[in-house]
């Protein structure tokens, strides 16, 4: 059997390819590369950097403002501290003056004039009671009631004679109503009937005693504390008892606001 071999390469024309670019307007060929994505990417990267720069500039401006404000506040604080120190000194002077005023007022508040005290006792003395002596003591007397206390102004000792024991009891009750004495401290410490009858020719007769009725006098001793109530609260009573000088001073202090 026969085989047929045909060689086509032998008869093929050798062509040379010319790789010259085509002219504009010529048909076909690849289009130039588009660079817009690259530009957009660069712009996208620059925007955060720009925003960061603007933020830094703004923050630096705010920082400078805050620093200036801090300096201003420090200066104001120094001035306020100086004013507070001055106010503290003034307040100290005010407190010293108030302390002096309080000490001055306390002196007047603790004064119970003897003139007013004696006048008050005289007005409260019954006709059947005679006072021979009144002396001032330290006020250290037994308290009759639990609320009774020793008065800072001291106490009184009243001695005399009475027509009867009942008259002495009445006198003690009347003295308990005195605003110038501590009611709970008024006490009868002694009451002794005299041995001899009252001689009408020498001593007279007790008021209210029927004629030709023999009577004995009773020696008594009363003690009481002077009131601890401030004199500023007793102005009306002191004025009634004639303590004009003290009343005038207390009213002057009240008008100036030193006492209420």
């Amino acid at each position: 059997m026969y085989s047929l071999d045909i060689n086509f390469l032998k008869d093929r024309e050798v062509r040379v390819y010319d790789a010259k670019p085509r002219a504009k307007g010529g048909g076909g060929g690849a289009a130039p590369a588009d660079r817009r994505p690259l530009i957009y990417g660069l712009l996208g990267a620059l925007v955060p950097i720009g925003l960061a720069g603007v933020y830094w500039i703004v923050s630096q401006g705010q920082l400078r403002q805050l620093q200036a404000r801090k300096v201003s506040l420090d200066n104001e604080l120094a001035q306020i501290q100086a004013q507070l120190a001055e106010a503290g000194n003034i307040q100290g002077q005010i407190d010293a003056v108030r302390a002096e005023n309080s000490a001055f007022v306390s002196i007047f508040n603790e004064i119970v004039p003897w003139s007013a005290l004696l006048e008050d006792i005289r007005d409260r003395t019954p006709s059947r009671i005679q006072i021979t002596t009144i002396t001032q003591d330290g006020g250290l007397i037994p308290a009759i009631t639990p609320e009774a206390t020793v008065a800072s102004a001291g106490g009184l000792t009243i001695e005399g004679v009475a027509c009867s024991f009942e008259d002495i009891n009445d006198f003690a009750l009347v003295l308990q109503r005195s605003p110038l004495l501590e009611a709970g401290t008024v006490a009868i410490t002694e009451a002794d009937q005299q041995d001899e009858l009252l001689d009408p020719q020498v001593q007279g007769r007790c008021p209210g005693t029927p004629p030709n009725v023999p009577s004995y006098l009773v020696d008594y001793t009363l003690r009481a504390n002077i009131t601890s109530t401030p004199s500023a609260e007793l102005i009306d009573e002191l004025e009634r008892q004639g303590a004009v000088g003290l009343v005038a001073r207390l009213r002057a202090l009240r008008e100036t606001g030193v006492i209420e």
Side-chain angles (χ1 to χ4, degrees), residues 108-239:
F108 285 100
N109 270 336
E110 293 175 1
I111 293 177
V112 178
W114 267 93
S115 60
L117 193 58
L118 294 177
E119 186 69 19
D120 180 68
I121 294 174
R122 185 185 69 84
D123 293 341
R124 297 176 187 279
T125 303
S127 59
R128 292 169 58 86
I129 291 287
Q130 182 178 359
I131 297 175
T132 56
T133 60
I134 298 178
T135 56
Q136 186 174 10
D137 54 40
L140 301 176
I141 64 175
I144 297 177
T145 59
E147 63 274 10
T149 58
V150 175
S152 59
L156 294 178
T157 298
I158 303 174
E159 297 178 342
V161 293
C163 294
S164 66
F165 291 101
E166 290 78 9
D167 294 326
I168 301 173
N169 290 330
D170 293 341
F171 187 30
L173 293 175
V174 172
L175 290 179
Q176 289 177 1
R177 294 195 291 269
S178 171
L180 303 183
L181 299 175
E182 293 288 348
T185 63
V186 177
I188 302 171
T189 58
E190 292 182 11
D192 299 319
Q193 181 175 297
Q194 296 181 0
D195 296 332
E196 298 181 359
L197 287 170
L198 177 63
D199 186 354
Q201 302 296 328
V202 178
Q203 299 169 303
R205 299 186 62 84
C206 284
T209 301
N212 301 324
V213 175
S215 58
Y216 292 89
L217 293 180
V218 179
D219 296 321
Y220 70 88
T221 300
L222 289 173
R223 301 184 71 184
N225 283 351
I226 301 173
T227 182
S228 57
T229 303
S231 297
E233 301 178 15
L234 300 172
I235 289 181
D236 294 338
E237 181 64 25
L238 294 175
E239 187 174 25

Side-chain angles (χ1 to χ4, degrees), residues 1-2 19 36 49 63 66 71 83 89 95 107 119 131 159 163 168 173 185-186 195 210 223-224 229 234 257 259-260:
M1 178 176 288
Y2 297 95
R36 284 180 295 179
I49 297 175
L63 180 60
L66 291 175
V71 172
Q83 292 175 355
N89 293 333
D95 293 340
I107 294 175
E119 186 69 19
I131 297 175
E159 297 178 342
C163 294
I168 301 173
L173 293 175
T185 63
V186 177
D195 296 332
R223 301 184 71 184
T229 303
L234 300 172
I259 60 176
E260 297 180 358

Side-chain angles (χ1 to χ4, degrees), residues 52-73:
V54 172
Y55 175 77
W56 183 84
I57 294 173
V58 172
S59 63
Q60 289 297 315
Q62 292 178 345
L63 180 60
R64 285 191 294 270
Q65 292 178 356
L66 291 175
Q67 289 175 342
R69 180 60 177 166
K70 178 180 180 299
V71 172
S72 176
L73 291 176

